[in-house]
């Protein structure tokens, strides 16, 4: 195997024996074969579109399947094999509709290469040209992030045919079915186009979330415990959480969020359930320490699962998530989760805990914009920091805790995604009526942060890069890559990125990112704060 798609990849270059995430070599090969098959299907989808055939169900299937190859999503070889078979079946059916039946579609999924031919994708590269290879990997890994957001949006009934067409175009790029020859500049154009596509996917997702659950509002969330039976819900899928809340109503079971589910408490439709009890634990990488002590059932709704060694009998999955041996719930039927929760002891007594705030969504932030602008004009607000992104276990991430703790009292800290769990329970005080720490939501909510920044720039009649605003980001997996590409496509500069730079970014590509966009690696909190505030 060779996998370098996440920040924690072995030795900073690539996992070759087993994934740091826990992915086996067999699962890695199946995922690579699945991507190959999706490229094949994408070529047929584009051909069908040119003939006026558009199949929304296939579009949805493709983003769901590609999402399954992200880091920490699906480790179940049987589930991935079913995805392979489904991809091949759709390819055959589409080819038949086009009056064609290419010979390669008669192969079984196992007969397809785990990676594209050497001329396109080698064991450890996408091209014999290192810079082109780097751009191709930026595209593929960014595209996986786009697929995740597009999949979430589609589940909420939000789709865009042009977004689906781009996903197919990007999948075909560099494959044996790609008729276009690109130089490095052409690949980089496609990379930035991927960033724009991701902006559209996040826009669709925000509309789906707010139309379904209401606009998030600032909401205190308890870190305490309630006496009684319990279910913990992790991941990002708010529809799964809604279904679970509906199915557990009146059962005496309390539901706790975990990880990226924390912002769910800010949505009016979800917070209306009295048994949505609070939040348990921190970020995904701590689950093997935190979840064994949770006295109830655990449901993973999207990515971020780790090996539930020693407690797998209480872990359930849904959606794209899979772990061998764990019960998978389909059709949002969570009866097995509920039954297990009723068997387990639950919390023996109430335990008070600190309240934290979440729910500073786009509408709330825009409503607060006049106060922010007034504070800037009066010199009471010197700077705004957006400190967020993916958390992880690799050393060096304490930087973000220390950075936030050291921000001056005349600054605000916006945060989103699981990176906030380094400091989400810190009391930074207030700046006027505003809390200094404002949680804008999941990584899915990066769109809200982008649009808030653009609104502030418009009000101040300046560009986003001229705002007293700095982005200090952490990355781990492919959704963070797609968000970074979105920021680059929007021309946002001077981003600080850590804890380490991607292994798939070549020296020349890195130099380009530095020269054109001012991207720089984090150093120390003191040095970076001094440089930003000088």
């Amino acid at each position: 195997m060779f996998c370098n798609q996440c920040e924690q990849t072995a030795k900073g270059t690539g996992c070759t024996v087993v994934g740091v995430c826990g992915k086996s070599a067999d699962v890695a090969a199946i995922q690579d074969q699945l991507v190959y098959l999706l490229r094949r299907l994408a070529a047929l989808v584009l051909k069908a579109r040119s003939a006026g055939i558009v199949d929304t169900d296939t579009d949805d299937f493709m983003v769901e399947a590609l999402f399954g190859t992200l880091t920490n999503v699906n480790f179940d070889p049987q589930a991935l094999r079913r995805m392979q078979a489904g991809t091949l079946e759709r390819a055959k059916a589409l080819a038949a509709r086009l009056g064609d039946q290419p010979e390669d579609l008669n192969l079984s999924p196992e007969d397809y290469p785990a990676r594209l031919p050497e001329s396109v994708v080698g064991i450890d590269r996408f091209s014999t040209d290192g810079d082109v290879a780097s751009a191709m990997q930026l595209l593929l890994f960014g595209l996986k992030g786009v697929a995740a957001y597009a999949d979430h949006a589609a589940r909420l009934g939000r789709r865009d045919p042009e977004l689906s067409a781009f996903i197919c175009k990007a999948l075909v790029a560099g494959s044996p079915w790609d008729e276009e020859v690109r130089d490095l500049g052409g690949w980089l154009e496609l990379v930035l186009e991927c960033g724009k596509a991701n902006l559209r996917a996040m826009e669709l997702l925000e509309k789906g979330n707010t139309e379904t659950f209401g606009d998030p509002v600032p909401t205190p969330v308890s870190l305490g415990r309630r006496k009684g039976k319990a279910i913990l819900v992790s991941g990002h899928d708010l529809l799964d959480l809604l279904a679970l809340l509906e199915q557990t109503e009146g059962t005496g079971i309390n539901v706790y969020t975990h990880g990226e589910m924390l912002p769910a408490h800010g949505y009016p439709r979800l917070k209306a359930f009295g048994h949505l009890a609070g939040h348990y634990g921190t970020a995904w990488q701590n689950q093997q320490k935190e979840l064994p002590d949770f006295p109830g059932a655990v449901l993973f709704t999207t990515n971020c699962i780790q090996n539930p060694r020693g407690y797998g009998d209480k872990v359930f999955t849904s959606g794209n998530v899979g772990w061998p041996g764990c019960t998978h719930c389909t059709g949002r039927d969570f009866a097995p989760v509920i039954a297990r929760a009723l068997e387990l002891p639950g919390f023996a007594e109430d335990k008070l805990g600190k309240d934290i705030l979440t729910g500073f969504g786009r509408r709330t932030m825009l409503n607060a914009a006049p106060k922010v602008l007034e504070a800037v004009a009066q010199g009471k607000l010197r700077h705004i920091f957006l400190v967020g992104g993916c958390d992880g276990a690799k050393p060096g991430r304490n930087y973000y805790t220390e950075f936030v703790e050291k921000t001056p009292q005349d600054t605000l800290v916006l945060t989103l995604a699981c990176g906030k769990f380094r400091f989400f329970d810190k009391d930074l005080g207030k700046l006027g009526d505003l809390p200094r720490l404002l949680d804008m939501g999941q990584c899915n909510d990066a769109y809200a942060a982008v649009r808030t920044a653009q609104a502030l720039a418009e009000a101040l009649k300046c560009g986003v890069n001229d705002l007293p605003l700095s982005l200090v980001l952490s990355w781990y997996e492919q959704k963070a890559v797609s968000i970074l590409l979105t920021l680059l496509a929007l021309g946002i500069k001077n981003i600080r990125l850590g804890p380490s730079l991607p292994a798939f970014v070549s020296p020349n590509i890195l130099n380009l990112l530095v020269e054109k966009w001012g991207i720089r690696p984090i150093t120390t909190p003191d040095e970076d704060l001094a440089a930003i505030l000088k």
Side-chain angles (χ1 to χ4, degrees), residues 228-232 252-256 294-298 341 344-347:
K229 304 292 185 176
I231 294 175
L232 178 147
I253 298 174
N254 292 313
V255 176
Y256 297 82
F294 185 79
V298 177
L344 291 165
F347 289 105

Side-chain angles (χ1 to χ4, degrees), residues 103-273:
E103 290 185 7
D104 68 297
L105 295 184
N106 295 321
L107 299 174
S108 66
E110 294 83 356
D111 294 326
Y112 285 86
R115 288 182 174 266
L116 293 177
E118 179 68 21
S119 61
V120 182
V121 180
I123 295 302
D124 60 355
R125 59 187 182 276
F126 275 43
S127 167
T128 55
D129 182 310
D131 295 329
V132 171
S134 181
M136 294 176 78
Q137 287 188 293
L138 269 171
L139 175 64
L140 176 59
F141 300 152
L143 189 66
K144 289 187 177 190
V146 176
Y149 296 132
D151 179 61
H152 282 302
R155 291 170 189 265
L156 291 162
R158 282 286 174 177
R159 301 171 178 86
D160 183 343
E162 291 186 9
L163 174 62
S164 299
F166 172 79
I167 290 171
C168 289
K169 171 185 172 182
L171 275 171
V172 171
S175 77
W177 307 282
D178 186 12
E179 298 178 355
E180 187 171 344
V181 177
R182 298 175 186 82
D183 58 10
L184 179 58
W187 281 108
L188 291 175
E189 286 180 9
L190 201 53
V191 166
L192 292 179
E193 193 176 345
C194 183
K196 293 177 183 177
N198 189 58
L199 184 68
R200 177 58 177 155
M202 290 193 298
E203 178 185 21
L204 292 170
L205 178 54
E206 186 198 49
K207 287 183 178 179
N209 278 336
T210 55
E211 289 176 356
T212 305
F213 308 107
D215 285 296
V217 294
T219 303
V221 182
S222 172
L223 299 182
R225 314 285 176 256
R226 290 186 193 172
K227 181 180 178 180
K229 304 292 185 176
I231 294 175
L232 178 147
V233 185
S234 192
H236 305 74
D237 197 315
L238 300 180
L239 277 177
D240 277 6
L241 176 59
L242 174 62
L244 181 67
L245 288 169
E246 291 173 339
Q247 292 170 37
T248 51
E249 200 163 21
T251 63
I253 298 174
N254 292 313
V255 176
Y256 297 82
T257 56
H258 172 265
E260 286 266 57
M261 272 294 183
L262 168 62
H265 292 268
Y267 287 94
R269 187 173 178 185
L270 298 174
K271 65 181 289 187
F273 288 90

Side-chain angles (χ1 to χ4, degrees), residues 352-387:
L352 293 177
K354 184 176 184 178
D355 281 355
I356 58 169
L357 279 175
T358 190
F360 290 89
R362 181 158 65 112
R363 187 174 295 277
T364 295
M365 294 303 297
L366 292 179
N367 288 340
K371 292 182 180 180
V372 172
L373 294 172
E374 182 181 1
V376 171
Q378 294 177 351
K380 296 178 180 179
L381 174 56
R382 183 171 21 157
H383 209 83
I384 302 172
F385 299 97
L386 174 58
V387 185

